[in-house]
Amino acid sequence: MTVTEQEITDYVARVRAALADLPPSQRDELTEDLADHLTEVAAEAEGTLVERLGEPETYAAEMRAAAGAAPGSGRNLDQRVATAVVRVRSRLHALDTRLGPPLGYATASDFLRLLRPGWWVLRGYLAAMLVTVISTGGSFGLLPRFGGELLAGLIMLVGFLLVSIWIGRRSGRLARWPRSAVQVGSAVLVVFAFAALMQAEDRMRYGDYGYDQTSVDSQYDRIRDVFVYDSEGRLVENARLFDQNGNPIRLGYPDCLQGAYVKQTLRAYPYCPEQAPFAPRAPGGPIPSEPPTAVPGVTTTPDPTSTPDPTTTPTPTGTATGGPPAGPTATGEPTPTATS
């Protein structure tokens, strides 16, 4: 069995974890050439390092004794952390080896290495979208924008793609701290990607219900339903509202409907006609209106161009039905004439 580079790395890590109680300078001195030594041992014969050299902790005790270092009096915090890290790495390595054959490779890492160029491109895109969210106050779409400007966002995207590819091609030659910074940044972008996907999925779900508020101001955020009346006071059902650009205006929450949050249908207004604030006028019924207010001393003159209501019966002027004349009638009295 050939010793892999990962096995050598894990062995060195376990040895350093066993020597974690020593001063850092002394520990680095003892393990400085350990990786090269293990590579030479692995090239001499078959077998794992544990089979040939023993457990890393035993090998570390031998190194400690050969250097005359005091044996560890106990496991300090650094040693416990280092041991935990080594244990996690060992389990990940075992999982990597187990998942490799189903993918057609010795390890899953060999398969993932083929996807690195795609990840470099995706990382640059996610970085541009993260800047978009920060610069626009949380709103974003499929394309990045810088401060709401699409052209600036596309220029930013190209720049991030080039930087991400450049870092990816040189990640193996980066020092420890720059490499750790790149790994932390990549983890942040992955978390951001999952959060953005969840938000986009919520938008699609509730967008089908028509609950998202589009083309409205904050003063409408508490509207539960919309009732539309025509010019004759009749309630309009199955009404839909649009803005000047043809975008639907969606308001309210159909709380009165059972299963409204399950059915993915876009309902028209009103959601609940039985809850209309004003009683709708029946077809052919009178139009509700307020009576005119009479002003003392002012005589209303009818409009000669108006059309009389056929349902109203006119009453002759100056004649009271079933009673005496409306006023006295002069008979036989001469009419005085003005004489010049």
Side-chain angles (χ1 to χ4, degrees):
M1 178 179 179
T2 304
V3 177
T4 62
E5 182 178 354
Q6 183 63 40
E7 184 178 354
I8 296 175
T9 302
D10 293 341
Y11 198 95
V12 173
R14 292 179 62 180
V15 172
R16 290 181 60 86
L19 300 175
D21 59 314
L22 298 178
S25 58
Q26 187 177 9
R27 182 181 56 201
D28 294 340
E29 181 180 356
L30 291 177
T31 59
E32 181 179 4
D33 300 327
L34 180 58
D36 296 337
H37 173 66
L38 295 178
T39 302
E40 295 176 357
V41 172
E44 292 177 357
E46 296 293 331
T48 64
L49 293 177
V50 175
E51 294 174 352
R52 304 185 59 187
L53 300 177
E55 294 293 334
E57 292 74 16
T58 304
Y59 189 84
E62 295 176 357
M63 294 180 62
R64 184 194 299 269
S73 57
R75 294 167 59 86
N76 56 17
L77 179 60
D78 293 340
Q79 191 171 5
R80 289 195 295 270
V81 171
T83 303
V85 171
V86 170
R87 187 179 297 111
V88 171
R89 287 181 176 178
S90 300
R91 292 181 179 179
L92 290 178
H93 176 66
L95 182 62
D96 186 24
T97 305
R98 184 177 303 174
L99 295 178
L103 298 175
Y105 294 86
T107 62
S109 300
D110 296 336
F111 172 75
L112 294 178
R113 289 190 185 96
L114 301 176
L115 305 179
R116 285 187 298 180
W119 162 244
W120 298 341
V121 175
L122 179 60
R123 180 173 57 186
Y125 172 78
L126 292 177
M129 294 303 297
L130 179 60
V131 174
T132 298
V133 172
I134 296 174
S135 62
T136 58
S139 61
F140 63 93
L142 293 178
L143 294 178
R145 297 175 182 268
F146 186 78
E149 297 294 334
L150 179 59
L151 180 59
L154 295 178
I155 296 175
M156 175 183 63
L157 174 62
V158 173
F160 278 142
L161 289 177
L162 295 178
V163 172
S164 179
I165 294 174
W166 182 85
I167 293 176
R169 292 176 60 88
R170 291 163 178 78
S171 59
R173 290 173 284 178
L174 294 177
R176 178 181 178 183
W177 290 112
R179 185 185 307 165
S180 300
V182 171
Q183 293 174 352
V184 172
S186 300
V188 171
L189 292 177
V190 170
V191 174
F192 166 73
F194 278 108
L197 286 176
M198 293 176 61
Q199 184 175 357
E201 196 270 342
D202 290 340
R203 285 183 178 180
M204 294 180 61
R205 289 176 55 192
Y206 294 107
D208 290 338
Y209 298 149
Y211 303 155
D212 55 315
Q213 301 177 10
T214 305
S215 302
V216 297
D217 299 328
S218 59
Q219 59 180 326
Y220 302 115
D221 57 357
R222 295 187 178 182
I223 290 179
R224 313 299 296 180
D225 203 347
V226 176
F227 299 89
V228 181
Y229 290 84
D230 61 10
S231 60
E232 298 183 359
R234 292 177 296 190
L235 180 65
V236 179
E237 298 189 19
N238 297 324
R240 290 176 171 82
L241 308 179
F242 298 88
D243 64 6
Q244 71 282 356
N245 298 320
N247 299 320
I249 299 177
R250 296 162 180 162
L251 297 170
Y253 302 86
D255 296 335
C256 61
L257 302 179
Q258 296 182 356
Y261 299 94
V262 179
K263 298 179 181 179
Q264 298 186 3
T265 57
L266 178 59
R267 289 180 53 85
Y269 298 113
Y271 294 137
C272 313
E274 66 278 1
Q275 298 180 4
F278 307 105
R281 185 178 72 88
I287 302 175
S289 61
E290 296 181 0
T293 303
V295 180
V298 178
T299 303
T300 304
T301 303
D303 187 359
T305 61
S306 62
T307 303
D309 191 345
T311 61
T312 304
T313 303
T315 303
T317 304
T319 305
T321 305
T329 303
T331 57
E333 294 292 337
T335 301
T337 304
T339 306
S340 57

